[in-house]
Amino acid sequence: MTLKVLVVGAGVVGAACAFHASLAGLDVTVIDRGPVGAGTTSRGEGNILLSDKEPGPELELAHLSRALWDEAGEELGADSLEFESKGGLVVASTDEGLPALRAFAERQAAAGVLVEPVDRVHDLEPHLAPGIPGGVHYPQDAQVQPVLAAAALLRAAVARGARFHTGEVAAAVTGPDGRVTGIRTTAGDVLPADAVVNAAGTWGGEVGRRLGAPIEVLPRRGFVLVTEPLPPMVRHKVYSADYVANVASSDAGLETSCVVEGTRGGTILIGASRERVGFDTTMNPAVVTKLAAQACRLFPFLSEVQVIRAYRGFRPYCPDHLPVIGPDPRVPGVVHACGHEGAGIGLAPATGALVTAHLLGRPWHGADPAAHAGLLPDRFFTSGGGSE
């Protein structure tokens, strides 16, 4: 019998889970309370990064995902994803910060990341501010248009027989042995399933609770500015070295670091901010002003450019800054695929492949078992099954 899989969430991670599960011949249904990619996916920049990750489980996952994005681009068409292998440039803002940046790059290189120390940063980005002492070029960094990418992955899954259902999960339906046999929606519909994949992004904690398998996924708000369309002015994803520290920080307060990149449409995206304020969607002009000022210091020409809009969204944040990928030890049939924070776009294909391997009960040939063990939900629970 074909395994029936219900994927909760039609963002890029849920779409990637559906894509790989349908490719493996599983019977897939995707459910979301809104349109494809309408949540966190629509609020991201589309980053596919190795440059911001310390050696460890997340970097291993990023390596796998980077190769799978190339394969997806070949199968689905790079234009359908707006896939750009543009590379990243991380710059040090002071002479004192350059040795730490280079040391971080050396650790990444030892883990297999392609790194190229750069002294003459203006050779790569002519419009950078003067006086930048150096940086590191990461040729593997890339970008997609996130909503287009999610739609393309889900469209390919549907072409293989997957279905998309609009609705919101109310509770799990379980059998006498406690195994999940489907879900009940808030509208009262019952959707049968042999396995349920929690790919609900920022709402993964709440969906997990409704499935009887709560996990700690918290919202971390971020703002992005969008400029008027311009001729090509920024060639890479360019960010200051303190961005890496901000990503890894557990502070609840506001943190900002300069991130600037162009898009295929000519607009320039400016970020990045992080703060834990629950699901508060209030526009904060002070954050917008701070991001704009940081971007102008990095690229002075931006001081003459109009910002046409600012958007904000919520990254699904786990306390240890790692996604949760794998079967829940408390509720048979529940598999988690959430908590990717700001890296969900980049990590989606490998997440989908690993989830599919779990559903099939076999290791995925590209995965490092030791690294993947650090992403399993088990890490949050004691031997007695309680949350740590």
Side-chain angles (χ1 to χ4, degrees), residues 112-179:
V113 179
L114 298 180
V115 303
E116 299 171 352
V118 178
D119 294 321
R120 296 165 54 92
V121 293
H122 293 89
D123 290 348
L124 294 180
E125 291 288 348
H127 300 289
L128 276 168
I132 294 176
V136 178
H137 177 226
Y138 290 86
Q140 293 166 297
D141 283 0
Q143 184 180 24
V144 293
Q145 206 292 337
V147 176
L148 288 180
L153 289 167
L154 190 53
R155 190 182 307 115
V158 169
R160 299 190 186 108
R163 296 165 296 281
F164 178 62
H165 184 99
T166 300
E168 185 173 351
V169 173
V173 178
T174 57
D177 60 353
R179 174 173 287 277

Short mmCIF file of all heavy atoms in Angstrom, two decimals, residues 112-179:
data_model
loop_
_atom_site.label_atom_id
_atom_site.label_comp_id
_atom_site.label_asym_id
_atom_site.label_seq_id
_atom_site.Cartn_x
_atom_site.Cartn_y
_atom_site.Cartn_z
N GLY A 112 34.45 22.19 4.22
CA GLY A 112 34.09 21.98 2.82
C GLY A 112 33.47 23.14 2.10
O GLY A 112 33.07 23.02 0.94
N VAL A 113 33.37 24.31 2.73
CA VAL A 113 32.80 25.48 2.08
C VAL A 113 33.87 26.15 1.21
O VAL A 113 35.04 26.26 1.62
CB VAL A 113 32.27 26.49 3.12
CG1 VAL A 113 31.69 27.73 2.44
CG2 VAL A 113 31.21 25.84 4.00
N LEU A 114 33.49 26.59 0.02
CA LEU A 114 34.41 27.34 -0.83
C LEU A 114 34.50 28.77 -0.31
O LEU A 114 33.50 29.49 -0.25
CB LEU A 114 33.92 27.34 -2.28
CG LEU A 114 33.81 25.98 -2.97
CD1 LEU A 114 33.32 26.15 -4.40
CD2 LEU A 114 35.16 25.26 -2.96
N VAL A 115 35.70 29.18 0.08
CA VAL A 115 35.91 30.54 0.59
C VAL A 115 37.09 31.16 -0.16
O VAL A 115 38.06 30.48 -0.48
CB VAL A 115 36.16 30.55 2.11
CG1 VAL A 115 34.99 29.92 2.85
CG2 VAL A 115 37.46 29.86 2.47
N GLU A 116 36.98 32.46 -0.41
CA GLU A 116 38.02 33.19 -1.12
C GLU A 116 38.27 34.50 -0.39
O GLU A 116 37.49 35.45 -0.53
CB GLU A 116 37.60 33.46 -2.56
CG GLU A 116 37.35 32.20 -3.37
CD GLU A 116 36.72 32.49 -4.73
OE1 GLU A 116 36.33 33.66 -4.98
OE2 GLU A 116 36.61 31.55 -5.55
N PRO A 117 39.34 34.58 0.42
CA PRO A 117 39.66 35.85 1.08
C PRO A 117 39.88 36.95 0.04
O PRO A 117 40.48 36.73 -1.02
CB PRO A 117 40.94 35.55 1.84
CG PRO A 117 40.92 34.06 2.05
CD PRO A 117 40.26 33.50 0.81
N VAL A 118 39.35 38.13 0.33
CA VAL A 118 39.40 39.25 -0.60
C VAL A 118 40.00 40.46 0.11
O VAL A 118 39.50 40.87 1.17
CB VAL A 118 38.00 39.61 -1.12
CG1 VAL A 118 38.06 40.81 -2.06
CG2 VAL A 118 37.36 38.42 -1.82
N ASP A 119 41.05 41.02 -0.44
CA ASP A 119 41.62 42.27 0.08
C ASP A 119 41.04 43.48 -0.65
O ASP A 119 40.75 44.50 -0.03
CB ASP A 119 43.14 42.26 -0.06
CG ASP A 119 43.79 41.19 0.81
OD1 ASP A 119 43.32 40.99 1.95
OD2 ASP A 119 44.75 40.55 0.36
N ARG A 120 40.86 43.34 -1.95
CA ARG A 120 40.35 44.46 -2.77
C ARG A 120 38.85 44.23 -3.02
O ARG A 120 38.45 43.74 -4.08
CB ARG A 120 41.13 44.54 -4.07
CG ARG A 120 42.62 44.86 -3.87
CD ARG A 120 43.43 44.57 -5.12
NE ARG A 120 42.90 45.24 -6.30
CZ ARG A 120 43.29 46.45 -6.72
NH1 ARG A 120 44.20 47.11 -6.02
NH2 ARG A 120 42.78 46.98 -7.80
N VAL A 121 38.04 44.57 -2.03
CA VAL A 121 36.61 44.29 -2.13
C VAL A 121 35.94 45.07 -3.26
O VAL A 121 34.92 44.64 -3.80
CB VAL A 121 35.90 44.58 -0.79
CG1 VAL A 121 36.37 43.61 0.29
CG2 VAL A 121 36.09 46.03 -0.36
N HIS A 122 36.53 46.19 -3.64
CA HIS A 122 35.91 47.00 -4.69
C HIS A 122 36.05 46.35 -6.07
O HIS A 122 35.35 46.74 -7.01
CB HIS A 122 36.48 48.41 -4.69
CG HIS A 122 36.12 49.18 -3.45
ND1 HIS A 122 36.89 49.14 -2.32
CD2 HIS A 122 35.05 49.96 -3.16
CE1 HIS A 122 36.33 49.89 -1.38
NE2 HIS A 122 35.21 50.39 -1.85
N ASP A 123 36.94 45.38 -6.20
CA ASP A 123 37.01 44.64 -7.45
C ASP A 123 35.73 43.82 -7.65
O ASP A 123 35.32 43.57 -8.79
CB ASP A 123 38.23 43.70 -7.46
CG ASP A 123 39.54 44.45 -7.56
OD1 ASP A 123 39.51 45.67 -7.86
OD2 ASP A 123 40.59 43.83 -7.31
N LEU A 124 35.13 43.36 -6.55
CA LEU A 124 33.88 42.59 -6.62
C LEU A 124 32.66 43.49 -6.55
O LEU A 124 31.64 43.22 -7.20
CB LEU A 124 33.83 41.57 -5.48
CG LEU A 124 34.87 40.45 -5.50
CD1 LEU A 124 34.68 39.52 -4.31
CD2 LEU A 124 34.78 39.65 -6.79
N GLU A 125 32.73 44.55 -5.75
CA GLU A 125 31.60 45.46 -5.57
C GLU A 125 32.11 46.91 -5.66
O GLU A 125 32.47 47.53 -4.66
CB GLU A 125 30.92 45.22 -4.21
CG GLU A 125 30.18 43.90 -4.10
CD GLU A 125 28.90 43.88 -4.93
OE1 GLU A 125 28.46 44.96 -5.39
OE2 GLU A 125 28.34 42.78 -5.12
N PRO A 126 32.13 47.46 -6.87
CA PRO A 126 32.72 48.80 -7.06
C PRO A 126 32.04 49.91 -6.27
O PRO A 126 32.66 50.95 -6.01
CB PRO A 126 32.56 49.03 -8.57
CG PRO A 126 32.41 47.67 -9.16
CD PRO A 126 31.70 46.86 -8.14
N HIS A 127 30.78 49.74 -5.90
CA HIS A 127 30.03 50.81 -5.25
C HIS A 127 30.08 50.76 -3.73
O HIS A 127 29.40 51.55 -3.06
CB HIS A 127 28.59 50.80 -5.73
CG HIS A 127 28.46 50.99 -7.21
ND1 HIS A 127 28.70 52.19 -7.84
CD2 HIS A 127 28.12 50.11 -8.20
CE1 HIS A 127 28.52 52.06 -9.14
NE2 HIS A 127 28.17 50.81 -9.38
N LEU A 128 30.89 49.85 -3.17
CA LEU A 128 31.05 49.82 -1.73
C LEU A 128 31.71 51.10 -1.23
O LEU A 128 32.45 51.77 -1.96
CB LEU A 128 31.90 48.62 -1.32
CG LEU A 128 31.20 47.27 -1.16
CD1 LEU A 128 32.24 46.15 -1.04
CD2 LEU A 128 30.28 47.27 0.06
N ALA A 129 31.46 51.42 0.03
CA ALA A 129 32.08 52.59 0.64
C ALA A 129 33.60 52.43 0.69
O ALA A 129 34.11 51.30 0.79
CB ALA A 129 31.53 52.79 2.05
N PRO A 130 34.34 53.52 0.63
CA PRO A 130 35.80 53.43 0.75
C PRO A 130 36.20 53.03 2.17
O PRO A 130 35.44 53.19 3.13
CB PRO A 130 36.27 54.85 0.42
CG PRO A 130 35.09 55.72 0.73
CD PRO A 130 33.87 54.90 0.42
N GLY A 131 37.40 52.48 2.27
CA GLY A 131 37.96 52.20 3.58
C GLY A 131 37.65 50.83 4.15
O GLY A 131 38.07 50.52 5.26
N ILE A 132 36.91 50.00 3.43
CA ILE A 132 36.62 48.66 3.93
C ILE A 132 37.89 47.82 3.82
O ILE A 132 38.46 47.68 2.73
CB ILE A 132 35.45 48.01 3.16
CG1 ILE A 132 34.18 48.79 3.43
CG2 ILE A 132 35.30 46.55 3.52
CD1 ILE A 132 32.97 48.32 2.65
N PRO A 133 38.38 47.26 4.93
CA PRO A 133 39.70 46.63 4.91
C PRO A 133 39.78 45.29 4.19
O PRO A 133 40.87 44.86 3.82
CB PRO A 133 40.01 46.45 6.41
CG PRO A 133 38.67 46.36 7.07
CD PRO A 133 37.78 47.27 6.28
N GLY A 134 38.66 44.62 4.00
CA GLY A 134 38.70 43.32 3.33
C GLY A 134 37.46 42.51 3.63
O GLY A 134 36.55 42.97 4.32
N GLY A 135 37.45 41.32 3.08
CA GLY A 135 36.28 40.47 3.28
C GLY A 135 36.54 39.05 2.82
O GLY A 135 37.69 38.65 2.60
N VAL A 136 35.48 38.30 2.66
CA VAL A 136 35.55 36.92 2.18
C VAL A 136 34.45 36.72 1.15
O VAL A 136 33.28 37.07 1.40
CB VAL A 136 35.38 35.90 3.33
CG1 VAL A 136 35.41 34.48 2.78
CG2 VAL A 136 36.46 36.10 4.39
N HIS A 137 34.81 36.15 0.02
CA HIS A 137 33.85 35.84 -1.04
C HIS A 137 33.44 34.38 -0.91
O HIS A 137 34.29 33.49 -0.73
CB HIS A 137 34.49 36.08 -2.41
CG HIS A 137 33.62 35.71 -3.57
ND1 HIS A 137 34.07 34.98 -4.64
CD2 HIS A 137 32.31 35.98 -3.81
CE1 HIS A 137 33.07 34.82 -5.50
NE2 HIS A 137 32.00 35.41 -5.01
N TYR A 138 32.12 34.14 -0.98
CA TYR A 138 31.56 32.79 -0.90
C TYR A 138 30.84 32.50 -2.22
O TYR A 138 29.66 32.84 -2.39
CB TYR A 138 30.57 32.70 0.26
CG TYR A 138 31.20 32.76 1.63
CD1 TYR A 138 31.47 33.97 2.24
CD2 TYR A 138 31.53 31.59 2.31
CE1 TYR A 138 32.04 34.04 3.51
CE2 TYR A 138 32.10 31.64 3.57
CZ TYR A 138 32.36 32.87 4.16
OH TYR A 138 32.93 32.92 5.42
N PRO A 139 31.51 31.85 -3.17
CA PRO A 139 30.91 31.65 -4.50
C PRO A 139 29.70 30.73 -4.50
O PRO A 139 28.93 30.73 -5.47
CB PRO A 139 32.06 31.07 -5.32
CG PRO A 139 33.04 30.55 -4.34
CD PRO A 139 32.91 31.39 -3.12
N GLN A 140 29.47 29.92 -3.46
CA GLN A 140 28.34 29.00 -3.45
C GLN A 140 27.03 29.65 -3.02
O GLN A 140 25.96 29.07 -3.21
CB GLN A 140 28.64 27.81 -2.53
CG GLN A 140 29.76 26.90 -3.03
CD GLN A 140 30.24 25.96 -1.96
OE1 GLN A 140 30.75 26.39 -0.92
NE2 GLN A 140 30.07 24.67 -2.18
N ASP A 141 27.07 30.82 -2.42
CA ASP A 141 25.83 31.49 -2.01
C ASP A 141 24.97 31.81 -3.23
O ASP A 141 25.48 32.15 -4.30
CB ASP A 141 26.13 32.79 -1.27
CG ASP A 141 26.58 32.55 0.17
OD1 ASP A 141 26.64 31.38 0.59
OD2 ASP A 141 26.85 33.54 0.88
N ALA A 142 23.66 31.70 -3.06
CA ALA A 142 22.73 31.89 -4.18
C ALA A 142 21.43 32.50 -3.68
O ALA A 142 21.27 32.79 -2.49
CB ALA A 142 22.47 30.56 -4.89
N GLN A 143 20.50 32.69 -4.60
CA GLN A 143 19.22 33.31 -4.26
C GLN A 143 18.13 32.77 -5.17
O GLN A 143 18.38 32.47 -6.35
CB GLN A 143 19.31 34.84 -4.42
CG GLN A 143 18.06 35.60 -4.00
CD GLN A 143 18.23 37.10 -4.19
OE1 GLN A 143 19.03 37.56 -5.00
NE2 GLN A 143 17.47 37.89 -3.44
N VAL A 144 16.92 32.65 -4.62
CA VAL A 144 15.72 32.38 -5.41
C VAL A 144 14.65 33.40 -5.02
O VAL A 144 14.77 34.08 -4.00
CB VAL A 144 15.16 30.95 -5.19
CG1 VAL A 144 16.10 29.91 -5.73
CG2 VAL A 144 14.84 30.72 -3.72
N GLN A 145 13.61 33.51 -5.85
CA GLN A 145 12.43 34.27 -5.45
C GLN A 145 11.58 33.30 -4.65
O GLN A 145 11.07 32.31 -5.19
CB GLN A 145 11.68 34.78 -6.68
CG GLN A 145 10.85 36.03 -6.45
CD GLN A 145 9.65 35.80 -5.53
OE1 GLN A 145 9.16 34.69 -5.37
NE2 GLN A 145 9.17 36.87 -4.92
N PRO A 146 11.42 33.52 -3.34
CA PRO A 146 10.90 32.45 -2.48
C PRO A 146 9.50 31.96 -2.80
O PRO A 146 9.24 30.75 -2.75
CB PRO A 146 10.98 33.05 -1.07
CG PRO A 146 11.17 34.51 -1.26
CD PRO A 146 11.83 34.69 -2.58
N VAL A 147 8.57 32.87 -3.11
CA VAL A 147 7.20 32.43 -3.40
C VAL A 147 7.16 31.66 -4.72
O VAL A 147 6.48 30.63 -4.85
CB VAL A 147 6.23 33.62 -3.42
CG1 VAL A 147 4.83 33.16 -3.81
CG2 VAL A 147 6.19 34.30 -2.05
N LEU A 148 7.90 32.14 -5.72
CA LEU A 148 7.97 31.41 -6.99
C LEU A 148 8.56 30.02 -6.78
O LEU A 148 8.11 29.05 -7.38
CB LEU A 148 8.80 32.19 -8.01
CG LEU A 148 8.20 33.47 -8.59
CD1 LEU A 148 9.18 34.10 -9.58
CD2 LEU A 148 6.86 33.19 -9.27
N ALA A 149 9.58 29.95 -5.93
CA ALA A 149 10.23 28.65 -5.68
C ALA A 149 9.26 27.69 -5.00
O ALA A 149 9.16 26.52 -5.38
CB ALA A 149 11.47 28.86 -4.83
N ALA A 150 8.53 28.18 -3.99
CA ALA A 150 7.56 27.31 -3.31
C ALA A 150 6.48 26.85 -4.28
O ALA A 150 6.10 25.67 -4.30
CB ALA A 150 6.93 28.06 -2.14
N ALA A 151 5.99 27.77 -5.11
CA ALA A 151 4.93 27.42 -6.06
C ALA A 151 5.43 26.40 -7.08
O ALA A 151 4.71 25.46 -7.46
CB ALA A 151 4.43 28.67 -6.76
N ALA A 152 6.67 26.57 -7.54
CA ALA A 152 7.22 25.65 -8.54
C ALA A 152 7.40 24.25 -7.95
O ALA A 152 7.09 23.24 -8.61
CB ALA A 152 8.55 26.18 -9.07
N LEU A 153 7.89 24.16 -6.72
CA LEU A 153 8.06 22.86 -6.07
C LEU A 153 6.71 22.17 -5.87
O LEU A 153 6.56 20.97 -6.14
CB LEU A 153 8.76 23.03 -4.73
CG LEU A 153 10.24 23.41 -4.77
CD1 LEU A 153 10.71 23.85 -3.38
CD2 LEU A 153 11.10 22.26 -5.27
N LEU A 154 5.71 22.93 -5.41
CA LEU A 154 4.40 22.33 -5.17
C LEU A 154 3.72 21.96 -6.48
O LEU A 154 3.05 20.92 -6.58
CB LEU A 154 3.53 23.29 -4.37
CG LEU A 154 2.22 22.72 -3.84
CD1 LEU A 154 2.44 21.44 -3.05
CD2 LEU A 154 1.49 23.75 -2.98
N ARG A 155 3.90 22.79 -7.50
CA ARG A 155 3.32 22.49 -8.82
C ARG A 155 3.89 21.17 -9.35
O ARG A 155 3.15 20.34 -9.91
CB ARG A 155 3.62 23.63 -9.79
CG ARG A 155 2.87 23.54 -11.12
CD ARG A 155 3.27 24.68 -12.06
NE ARG A 155 3.13 25.97 -11.42
CZ ARG A 155 4.14 26.80 -11.15
NH1 ARG A 155 5.39 26.46 -11.47
NH2 ARG A 155 3.92 27.96 -10.60
N ALA A 156 5.18 20.96 -9.16
CA ALA A 156 5.79 19.70 -9.62
C ALA A 156 5.26 18.52 -8.83
O ALA A 156 5.05 17.43 -9.38
CB ALA A 156 7.31 19.79 -9.48
N ALA A 157 5.02 18.73 -7.51
CA ALA A 157 4.44 17.65 -6.71
C ALA A 157 3.02 17.32 -7.17
O ALA A 157 2.64 16.14 -7.27
CB ALA A 157 4.43 18.05 -5.24
N VAL A 158 2.23 18.34 -7.46
CA VAL A 158 0.86 18.13 -7.95
C VAL A 158 0.88 17.40 -9.28
O VAL A 158 0.03 16.53 -9.55
CB VAL A 158 0.12 19.48 -8.05
CG1 VAL A 158 -1.20 19.33 -8.79
CG2 VAL A 158 -0.12 20.06 -6.66
N ALA A 159 1.84 17.71 -10.13
CA ALA A 159 1.95 17.03 -11.42
C ALA A 159 2.20 15.53 -11.23
O ALA A 159 1.87 14.72 -12.11
CB ALA A 159 3.07 17.65 -12.25
N ARG A 160 2.75 15.15 -10.07
CA ARG A 160 2.98 13.74 -9.77
C ARG A 160 1.83 13.13 -8.97
O ARG A 160 1.94 12.00 -8.50
CB ARG A 160 4.29 13.57 -9.00
CG ARG A 160 5.54 14.04 -9.74
CD ARG A 160 6.79 13.61 -8.97
NE ARG A 160 7.98 14.17 -9.58
CZ ARG A 160 8.70 15.16 -9.05
NH1 ARG A 160 8.35 15.68 -7.89
NH2 ARG A 160 9.77 15.61 -9.67
N GLY A 161 0.77 13.88 -8.76
CA GLY A 161 -0.40 13.33 -8.09
C GLY A 161 -0.71 13.91 -6.72
O GLY A 161 -1.72 13.53 -6.10
N ALA A 162 0.13 14.82 -6.20
CA ALA A 162 -0.15 15.42 -4.89
C ALA A 162 -1.38 16.32 -4.98
O ALA A 162 -1.77 16.78 -6.06
CB ALA A 162 1.06 16.22 -4.42
N ARG A 163 -1.99 16.58 -3.82
CA ARG A 163 -3.18 17.42 -3.75
C ARG A 163 -2.93 18.57 -2.78
O ARG A 163 -2.15 18.43 -1.83
CB ARG A 163 -4.40 16.61 -3.28
CG ARG A 163 -4.80 15.50 -4.26
CD ARG A 163 -5.75 14.50 -3.59
NE ARG A 163 -5.12 13.80 -2.50
CZ ARG A 163 -4.29 12.77 -2.66
NH1 ARG A 163 -4.02 12.31 -3.87
NH2 ARG A 163 -3.75 12.17 -1.60
N PHE A 164 -3.63 19.70 -3.01
CA PHE A 164 -3.53 20.85 -2.11
C PHE A 164 -4.90 21.12 -1.52
O PHE A 164 -5.89 21.25 -2.25
CB PHE A 164 -3.00 22.08 -2.86
CG PHE A 164 -2.92 23.31 -1.99
CD1 PHE A 164 -2.08 23.33 -0.89
CD2 PHE A 164 -3.66 24.44 -2.27
CE1 PHE A 164 -1.99 24.46 -0.08
CE2 PHE A 164 -3.58 25.57 -1.48
CZ PHE A 164 -2.75 25.58 -0.38
N HIS A 165 -4.96 21.19 -0.20
CA HIS A 165 -6.23 21.36 0.51
C HIS A 165 -6.13 22.62 1.38
O HIS A 165 -5.18 22.77 2.14
CB HIS A 165 -6.49 20.14 1.40
CG HIS A 165 -7.81 20.15 2.11
ND1 HIS A 165 -8.91 19.46 1.65
CD2 HIS A 165 -8.21 20.77 3.25
CE1 HIS A 165 -9.92 19.64 2.47
NE2 HIS A 165 -9.52 20.43 3.46
N THR A 166 -7.10 23.51 1.27
CA THR A 166 -7.12 24.71 2.11
C THR A 166 -7.88 24.42 3.39
O THR A 166 -9.02 23.95 3.36
CB THR A 166 -7.78 25.88 1.37
OG1 THR A 166 -7.05 26.15 0.18
CG2 THR A 166 -7.78 27.14 2.24
N GLY A 167 -7.26 24.69 4.51
CA GLY A 167 -7.89 24.45 5.80
C GLY A 167 -6.88 24.62 6.90
O GLY A 167 -5.69 24.82 6.66
N GLU A 168 -7.35 24.55 8.14
CA GLU A 168 -6.48 24.73 9.30
C GLU A 168 -6.61 23.53 10.23
O GLU A 168 -7.71 23.06 10.50
CB GLU A 168 -6.87 26.01 10.05
CG GLU A 168 -5.95 26.35 11.19
CD GLU A 168 -6.26 27.70 11.80
OE1 GLU A 168 -7.09 28.44 11.24
OE2 GLU A 168 -5.69 28.01 12.87
N VAL A 169 -5.47 23.04 10.70
CA VAL A 169 -5.46 21.87 11.57
C VAL A 169 -6.09 22.21 12.92
O VAL A 169 -5.75 23.23 13.55
CB VAL A 169 -4.02 21.38 11.78
CG1 VAL A 169 -3.97 20.27 12.84
CG2 VAL A 169 -3.43 20.89 10.47
N ALA A 170 -7.01 21.38 13.35
CA ALA A 170 -7.60 21.53 14.69
C ALA A 170 -7.01 20.53 15.66
O ALA A 170 -6.69 20.86 16.81
CB ALA A 170 -9.12 21.36 14.62
N ALA A 171 -6.85 19.29 15.22
CA ALA A 171 -6.34 18.24 16.11
C ALA A 171 -5.94 17.03 15.28
O ALA A 171 -6.35 16.87 14.13
CB ALA A 171 -7.41 17.84 17.13
N ALA A 172 -5.14 16.18 15.91
CA ALA A 172 -4.78 14.91 15.27
C ALA A 172 -5.88 13.90 15.52
O ALA A 172 -6.57 13.93 16.54
CB ALA A 172 -3.46 14.41 15.83
N VAL A 173 -6.05 12.99 14.58
CA VAL A 173 -6.90 11.82 14.76
C VAL A 173 -5.96 10.64 14.99
O VAL A 173 -5.03 10.42 14.19
CB VAL A 173 -7.79 11.57 13.53
CG1 VAL A 173 -8.63 10.32 13.73
CG2 VAL A 173 -8.67 12.78 13.25
N THR A 174 -6.14 9.92 16.07
CA THR A 174 -5.23 8.83 16.41
C THR A 174 -5.97 7.52 16.55
O THR A 174 -7.17 7.48 16.85
CB THR A 174 -4.48 9.13 17.72
OG1 THR A 174 -5.43 9.34 18.76
CG2 THR A 174 -3.60 10.36 17.58
N GLY A 175 -5.24 6.43 16.34
CA GLY A 175 -5.79 5.10 16.52
C GLY A 175 -5.62 4.63 17.95
O GLY A 175 -5.07 5.34 18.81
N PRO A 176 -6.05 3.41 18.24
CA PRO A 176 -5.96 2.87 19.62
C PRO A 176 -4.53 2.74 20.11
O PRO A 176 -4.30 2.73 21.33
CB PRO A 176 -6.65 1.50 19.50
CG PRO A 176 -6.67 1.17 18.05
CD PRO A 176 -6.74 2.47 17.33
N ASP A 177 -3.57 2.64 19.20
CA ASP A 177 -2.17 2.54 19.62
C ASP A 177 -1.51 3.90 19.77
O ASP A 177 -0.30 3.98 20.04
CB ASP A 177 -1.39 1.68 18.62
CG ASP A 177 -1.41 2.25 17.20
OD1 ASP A 177 -2.15 3.25 16.96
OD2 ASP A 177 -0.71 1.72 16.33
N GLY A 178 -2.27 4.99 19.60
CA GLY A 178 -1.72 6.33 19.72
C GLY A 178 -1.11 6.87 18.45
O GLY A 178 -0.69 8.04 18.41
N ARG A 179 -1.05 6.07 17.40
CA ARG A 179 -0.49 6.52 16.14
C ARG A 179 -1.47 7.44 15.43
O ARG A 179 -2.67 7.20 15.42
CB ARG A 179 -0.14 5.33 15.25
CG ARG A 179 0.34 5.72 13.84
CD ARG A 179 0.84 4.52 13.06
NE ARG A 179 2.13 4.09 13.58
CZ ARG A 179 3.28 4.64 13.21
NH1 ARG A 179 3.31 5.63 12.33
NH2 ARG A 179 4.41 4.20 13.73
#
